[in-house]
Amino acid sequence: MVTSIRVQTEADFDVVAAVHVRSIQASYAGLLPAAHLASLDPVVFAERRRSLHGRPGLHTLIAEQDLRIVGFASFGLDRDDPGPGELYSIYVDPGEWGTDAGWRLFAEARRILKDDSYPEMRLWVLSANERARRFYERAGMTTDGVPAPHRLLDVGIELPKLRYRARL
């Protein structure tokens, strides 16, 4: 199955938000409270996309298969350190896991960060998210052991996350 990658447009917000919610619900089942996952609203996610659209330095790529949006990746300047680039998020619709969509998104995000002269790519992943950690490790990322809490303020919990990095 061939996946095409393109830049997100305003027309994509609602579909990307729905993919985002479905992917979070599947990815974090058993890691985050079920009530929290069930409460996620694609409308809220679409509004967040609209508010961030056009922000300087923010890139969002879309993965399509047969003209259907199946995933996305958002990335840009590291939020904690002005030198490196950061992969903020990468999500693929659960029905498309195991296709090339995630790999293609990751590779293109990495290429763009490198072309934008970032010396390094970083990302954060929940420590307990074994599936994501395996994906990033197969893609050449390594954890540097820097931990941080992932705070879900609306639920009142903190989960440990780890930073991964790779030279570009």
Side-chain angles (χ1 to χ4, degrees), residues 131-145:
R131 179 179 174 76
R133 291 181 66 185
R134 283 191 307 271
F135 175 87
Y136 295 126
E137 289 166 8
R138 283 193 310 263
M141 305 289 293
T142 56
T143 182
D144 59 10

Side-chain angles (χ1 to χ4, degrees), residues 3-42:
T3 302
S4 63
I5 304 297
R6 64 172 176 80
V7 174
Q8 175 184 257
T9 68
E10 293 179 31
D12 299 323
F13 294 155
D14 293 329
V15 176
V16 171
V19 167
H20 195 174
V21 167
R22 284 193 302 273
S23 184
I24 287 173
Q25 289 170 331
S27 298
Y28 300 120
L31 301 177
L32 299 179
H36 170 72
L37 293 173
S39 74
L40 298 178
D41 184 354

